[in-house]
Amino acid sequence: MPTYAIFPAREEQRRGDQLNFAVAFGATPAAARTAAETLLGEPGALAGWSVVDVSTSAQPAVFASGLPVGARAQSVWPNLDRGGSYLRGT
């Protein structure tokens, strides 16, 4: 299944909580966006964001606004946000 990076398409779409970059699997870009929104616990929150397939080849990138944050039950990514809280979704 393809892996997608999801991020704000425009500066005014950036989130106040600095959760501005998601990585998600999905059969389609829309499915990956939905998976990321489920993790946030905010359906529709990432509408209009850019979705890039990073499955086969992608340009190098860095996180500019903090560490990635994952679900509380996983061990790959940090699971607390910059404020020390878990994400609201699963």
Side-chain angles (χ1 to χ4, degrees):
M1 188 172 306
T3 302
Y4 295 93
I6 306 155
F7 53 94
R10 297 181 312 277
E11 185 65 27
E12 66 270 14
Q13 292 177 317
R14 291 175 63 86
R15 296 171 54 95
D17 58 11
Q18 298 187 16
L19 298 175
N20 291 307
F21 186 86
V23 176
F25 295 112
T28 65
R33 181 182 286 123
T34 298
E37 291 170 344
T38 299
L39 181 61
L40 288 170
E42 299 177 26
L46 308 181
W49 281 30
S50 297
V51 181
V52 175
D53 185 343
V54 295
S55 302
T56 56
S57 63
Q59 295 297 313
V62 297
F63 293 92
S65 61
L67 296 171
V69 179
R72 68 177 77 185
Q74 55 75 50
S75 62
V76 175
W77 304 106
N79 60 7
L80 297 176
D81 65 19
R82 291 181 68 178
S85 300
Y86 290 108
L87 297 173
R88 291 183 294 203
T90 56

